Amino acid sequence: MKRRTSALAVSSAALLAAAPLLTGCSTDSHPGAAAVVGDERITVSSVQAQVETVREAQREQPDADQLLASSAGLTRAMVDHLVYQEVLEQTAEAYGVEVSTAQIQQERIRTEAALGGADELRQAALLGTADLPPLAGDEQIDQVLRRQLLFQSIAVQLNAPAGPEGEQLVYETMAATADEIGVEVNPRYGSWSAEAVGLADADTPWVRPYVPAEDDEALIPMPPA
Protein backbone atom coordinates (compact mmCIF):
# COMPACT_ATOMS: atom_id res chain seq x y z
CA MET A 1 0.00 0.00 0.00
CA LYS A 2 1.43 3.36 -0.96
CA ARG A 3 0.29 6.84 -0.09
CA ARG A 4 1.42 10.30 0.79
CA THR A 5 4.23 10.05 3.31
CA SER A 6 3.89 13.77 3.97
CA ALA A 7 0.91 12.92 6.14
CA LEU A 8 3.42 12.76 8.99
CA ALA A 9 5.63 15.58 7.77
CA VAL A 10 3.52 18.40 6.40
CA SER A 11 5.52 21.15 8.02
CA SER A 12 8.91 19.82 6.98
CA ALA A 13 7.97 19.23 3.35
CA ALA A 14 7.04 22.63 1.99
CA LEU A 15 3.78 22.16 3.93
CA LEU A 16 4.00 20.45 3.95
CA ALA A 17 -8.52 22.85 -14.04
CA ALA A 18 -10.25 25.79 -13.05
CA ALA A 19 -13.18 23.47 -13.16
CA PRO A 20 -15.64 23.47 -16.05
CA LEU A 21 -19.33 23.34 -15.30
CA LEU A 22 -19.83 19.67 -14.53
CA THR A 23 -23.35 19.59 -13.18
CA GLY A 24 -24.21 16.63 -15.38
CA CYS A 25 -21.25 14.63 -14.09
CA SER A 26 -22.81 12.29 -11.57
CA THR A 27 -24.50 8.96 -11.14
CA ASP A 28 -28.25 8.66 -11.19
CA SER A 29 -28.12 7.81 -7.49
CA HIS A 30 -25.75 10.67 -6.59
CA PRO A 31 -26.58 13.66 -8.81
CA GLY A 32 -24.04 16.46 -8.64
CA ALA A 33 -21.52 14.37 -6.71
CA ALA A 34 -17.81 14.18 -7.45
CA ALA A 35 -17.54 11.41 -4.85
CA VAL A 36 -19.47 9.83 -2.01
CA VAL A 37 -17.66 8.61 1.11
CA GLY A 38 -20.00 6.71 3.36
CA ASP A 39 -22.96 9.04 3.77
CA GLU A 40 -20.94 12.16 2.93
CA ARG A 41 -21.25 13.66 -0.54
CA ILE A 42 -18.39 15.65 -2.02
CA THR A 43 -20.23 17.78 -4.53
CA VAL A 44 -18.94 18.96 -7.86
CA SER A 45 -19.73 22.52 -6.81
CA SER A 46 -17.60 22.22 -3.67
CA VAL A 47 -14.70 20.89 -5.72
CA GLN A 48 -15.10 23.76 -8.17
CA ALA A 49 -15.07 26.27 -5.32
CA GLN A 50 -11.88 24.80 -3.84
CA VAL A 51 -10.18 24.78 -7.24
CA GLU A 52 -11.18 28.35 -7.98
CA THR A 53 -9.76 29.50 -4.62
CA VAL A 54 -6.40 28.08 -5.71
CA ARG A 55 -6.66 29.46 -9.24
CA GLU A 56 -7.39 32.97 -7.97
CA ALA A 57 -4.32 32.85 -5.74
CA GLN A 58 -2.18 31.50 -8.57
CA ARG A 59 -3.27 34.25 -10.97
CA GLU A 60 -2.13 36.87 -8.46
CA GLN A 61 1.45 35.55 -8.44
CA PRO A 62 4.26 36.95 -10.62
CA ASP A 63 4.84 33.44 -12.02
CA ALA A 64 1.13 32.81 -12.61
CA ASP A 65 1.59 31.11 -15.97
CA GLN A 66 4.08 28.64 -14.55
CA LEU A 67 1.88 27.87 -11.55
CA LEU A 68 -1.15 27.27 -13.74
CA ALA A 69 0.78 25.08 -16.15
CA SER A 70 2.32 22.98 -13.40
CA SER A 71 -1.08 22.26 -11.84
CA ALA A 72 -3.08 21.32 -14.91
CA GLY A 73 -4.52 18.27 -13.12
CA LEU A 74 -5.75 20.34 -10.19
CA THR A 75 -9.41 19.35 -10.31
CA ARG A 76 -8.69 15.62 -10.14
CA ALA A 77 -6.02 16.18 -7.50
CA MET A 78 -8.48 18.19 -5.43
CA VAL A 79 -11.06 15.40 -5.59
CA ASP A 80 -8.36 12.95 -4.48
CA HIS A 81 -7.41 15.28 -1.63
CA LEU A 82 -11.01 15.70 -0.46
CA VAL A 83 -11.80 11.98 -0.66
CA TYR A 84 -8.67 11.15 1.33
CA GLN A 85 -9.57 13.81 3.90
CA GLU A 86 -13.08 12.41 4.35
CA VAL A 87 -11.81 8.83 4.71
CA LEU A 88 -9.34 10.10 7.30
CA GLU A 89 -12.09 12.00 9.14
CA GLN A 90 -14.32 8.94 9.30
CA THR A 91 -11.43 6.74 10.41
CA ALA A 92 -10.70 9.21 13.18
CA GLU A 93 -14.34 9.19 14.24
CA ALA A 94 -14.38 5.39 14.32
CA TYR A 95 -11.39 5.41 16.68
CA GLY A 96 -12.59 8.24 18.87
CA VAL A 97 -9.92 10.66 17.65
CA GLU A 98 -10.65 14.39 17.75
CA VAL A 99 -8.62 17.46 16.88
CA SER A 100 -9.53 20.85 18.30
CA THR A 101 -9.34 24.25 16.69
CA ALA A 102 -6.76 25.22 19.31
CA GLN A 103 -4.55 22.31 18.25
CA ILE A 104 -4.77 23.39 14.63
CA GLN A 105 -3.87 26.95 15.58
CA GLN A 106 -0.88 25.76 17.57
CA GLU A 107 0.27 23.59 14.68
CA ARG A 108 -0.07 26.53 12.33
CA ILE A 109 2.07 28.72 14.56
CA ARG A 110 4.69 26.00 14.72
CA THR A 111 4.63 25.43 10.97
CA GLU A 112 4.85 29.13 10.16
CA ALA A 113 7.84 29.43 12.48
CA ALA A 114 9.52 26.45 10.82
CA LEU A 115 9.04 27.92 7.34
CA GLY A 116 9.92 31.51 8.23
CA GLY A 117 6.51 33.13 8.56
CA ALA A 118 2.89 33.18 7.45
CA ASP A 119 3.69 34.37 3.91
CA GLU A 120 6.22 31.58 3.48
CA LEU A 121 3.62 29.04 4.56
CA ARG A 122 1.11 30.38 2.05
CA GLN A 123 3.69 30.27 -0.74
CA ALA A 124 4.70 26.72 0.16
CA ALA A 125 1.06 25.62 0.16
CA LEU A 126 0.46 27.24 -3.22
CA LEU A 127 3.30 25.23 -4.75
CA GLY A 128 1.87 21.91 -3.60
CA THR A 129 3.89 18.72 -3.20
CA ALA A 130 3.98 15.29 -4.79
CA ASP A 131 1.35 14.27 -2.23
CA LEU A 132 -0.78 17.40 -1.99
CA PRO A 133 -2.39 19.64 -4.61
CA PRO A 134 -1.63 23.36 -4.55
CA LEU A 135 -3.67 24.95 -1.77
CA ALA A 136 -4.63 28.53 -0.96
CA GLY A 137 -6.36 30.42 1.80
CA ASP A 138 -6.53 29.83 5.52
CA GLU A 139 -9.30 27.25 5.31
CA GLN A 140 -7.41 24.95 2.94
CA ILE A 141 -4.14 25.30 4.82
CA ASP A 142 -5.82 24.60 8.15
CA GLN A 143 -7.49 21.55 6.63
CA VAL A 144 -4.07 20.09 5.80
CA LEU A 145 -2.83 20.83 9.32
CA ARG A 146 -5.93 19.12 10.68
CA ARG A 147 -5.19 16.14 8.47
CA GLN A 148 -1.64 16.03 9.82
CA LEU A 149 -2.87 16.00 13.40
CA LEU A 150 -5.60 13.44 12.76
CA PHE A 151 -3.13 11.07 11.13
CA GLN A 152 -0.71 11.38 14.04
CA SER A 153 -3.49 10.90 16.59
CA ILE A 154 -4.81 7.79 14.84
CA ALA A 155 -1.27 6.41 14.87
CA VAL A 156 -1.12 6.97 18.63
CA GLN A 157 -4.52 5.34 19.11
CA LEU A 158 -3.31 2.29 17.17
CA ASN A 159 -0.03 2.17 19.11
CA ALA A 160 1.67 2.35 15.73
CA PRO A 161 5.47 2.34 15.73
CA ALA A 162 7.33 5.35 14.40
CA GLY A 163 8.37 5.40 10.77
CA PRO A 164 7.06 3.72 7.61
CA GLU A 165 5.71 0.69 9.45
CA GLY A 166 3.49 2.90 11.58
CA GLU A 167 2.35 4.91 8.57
CA GLN A 168 1.50 1.67 6.81
CA LEU A 169 -0.66 0.60 9.73
CA VAL A 170 -2.63 3.85 9.59
CA TYR A 171 -3.10 3.54 5.82
CA GLU A 172 -4.33 -0.03 6.21
CA THR A 173 -6.76 1.13 8.88
CA MET A 174 -8.02 3.89 6.60
CA ALA A 175 -8.44 1.40 3.75
CA ALA A 176 -10.44 -0.88 6.05
CA THR A 177 -12.67 2.02 7.06
CA ALA A 178 -13.20 2.96 3.42
CA ASP A 179 -14.12 -0.62 2.61
CA GLU A 180 -16.64 -0.68 5.44
CA ILE A 181 -18.35 2.62 4.68
CA GLY A 182 -17.97 2.52 0.90
CA VAL A 183 -16.29 5.02 -1.40
CA GLU A 184 -17.77 5.87 -4.79
CA VAL A 185 -15.97 8.25 -7.13
CA ASN A 186 -17.22 9.86 -10.32
CA PRO A 187 -15.16 8.05 -12.99
CA ARG A 188 -14.34 11.40 -14.55
CA TYR A 189 -11.84 11.74 -11.72
CA GLY A 190 -10.82 8.11 -11.28
CA SER A 191 -11.82 5.32 -8.92
CA TRP A 192 -11.05 4.53 -5.29
CA SER A 193 -7.94 2.41 -4.77
CA ALA A 194 -7.45 0.77 -1.38
CA GLU A 195 -3.84 0.06 -2.31
CA ALA A 196 -3.09 3.72 -2.93
CA VAL A 197 -5.52 4.99 -0.27
CA GLY A 198 -6.59 7.42 -2.95
CA LEU A 199 -7.72 7.65 -6.55
CA ALA A 200 -6.62 5.51 -9.44
CA ASP A 201 -7.61 5.86 -13.08
CA ALA A 202 -11.13 4.71 -13.77
CA ASP A 203 -11.71 1.91 -16.25
CA THR A 204 -14.80 3.38 -17.91
CA PRO A 205 -15.63 7.07 -17.54
CA TRP A 206 -19.36 7.71 -17.71
CA VAL A 207 -18.87 11.07 -19.41
CA ARG A 208 -16.44 12.25 -22.02
CA PRO A 209 -13.42 14.16 -20.65
CA TYR A 210 -13.84 17.91 -20.65
CA VAL A 211 -11.99 19.66 -23.45
CA PRO A 212 -11.14 23.26 -22.47
CA ALA A 213 -12.02 26.13 -24.72
CA GLU A 214 -9.17 28.07 -26.27
CA ASP A 215 -9.84 31.00 -23.96
CA ASP A 216 -9.94 28.93 -20.78
CA GLU A 217 -6.93 30.49 -19.05
CA ALA A 218 -6.90 28.09 -16.13
CA LEU A 219 -6.91 24.81 -18.00
CA ILE A 220 -4.34 23.34 -20.30
CA PRO A 221 -4.21 19.76 -21.60
CA MET A 222 -4.37 17.63 -18.49
CA PRO A 223 -1.74 14.96 -17.81
CA PRO A 224 -2.57 12.32 -15.22
CA ALA A 225 -2.72 14.00 -11.81
Side-chain angles (χ1 to χ4, degrees), residues 19 84 90 97 126 133 158 165 170 181 187 190 219:
Y84 176 91
Q90 296 202 31
V97 170
L126 195 58
L158 295 172
E165 184 179 348
V170 178
I181 64 178
L219 269 180

Side-chain angles (χ1 to χ4, degrees), residues 73-210:
L74 178 58
T75 301
R76 183 185 186 280
M78 190 64 74
V79 174
D80 186 27
H81 171 60
L82 295 174
V83 169
Y84 176 91
Q85 180 75 25
E86 186 57 39
V87 171
L88 182 66
E89 293 279 356
Q90 296 202 31
T91 302
E93 182 178 354
Y95 283 84
V97 170
E98 297 181 356
V99 168
S100 68
T101 301
Q103 287 176 289
I104 295 171
Q105 291 173 342
Q106 290 170 0
E107 182 67 11
R108 179 147 186 170
I109 291 171
R110 188 186 69 81
T111 304
E112 288 177 350
L115 294 177
D119 289 342
E120 285 76 11
L121 173 59
R122 294 188 186 97
Q123 288 299 314
L126 195 58
L127 291 175
T129 71
D131 299 326
L132 289 168
L135 300 170
D138 290 339
E139 183 177 351
Q140 291 187 8
I141 292 173
D142 286 351
Q143 183 184 52
V144 173
L145 297 174
R146 175 178 172 81
R147 155 173 148 167
Q148 159 90 356
L149 293 168
L150 284 173
F151 193 100
Q152 292 174 338
S153 297
I154 292 171
V156 171
Q157 189 73 9
L158 295 172
N159 293 316
E165 184 179 348
E167 292 178 8
Q168 181 73 9
L169 179 58
V170 178
Y171 295 142
E172 290 174 354
T173 302
M174 291 175 63
T177 297
D179 184 61
E180 180 179 350
I181 64 178
V183 177
E184 184 177 355
V185 179
N186 183 324
R188 175 187 288 272
Y189 309 112
S191 61
W192 171 255
S193 168
E195 180 182 3
V197 195
L199 301 191
D201 292 336
D203 293 332
T204 307
W206 59 43
V207 293
R208 293 191 306 174
Y210 174 77

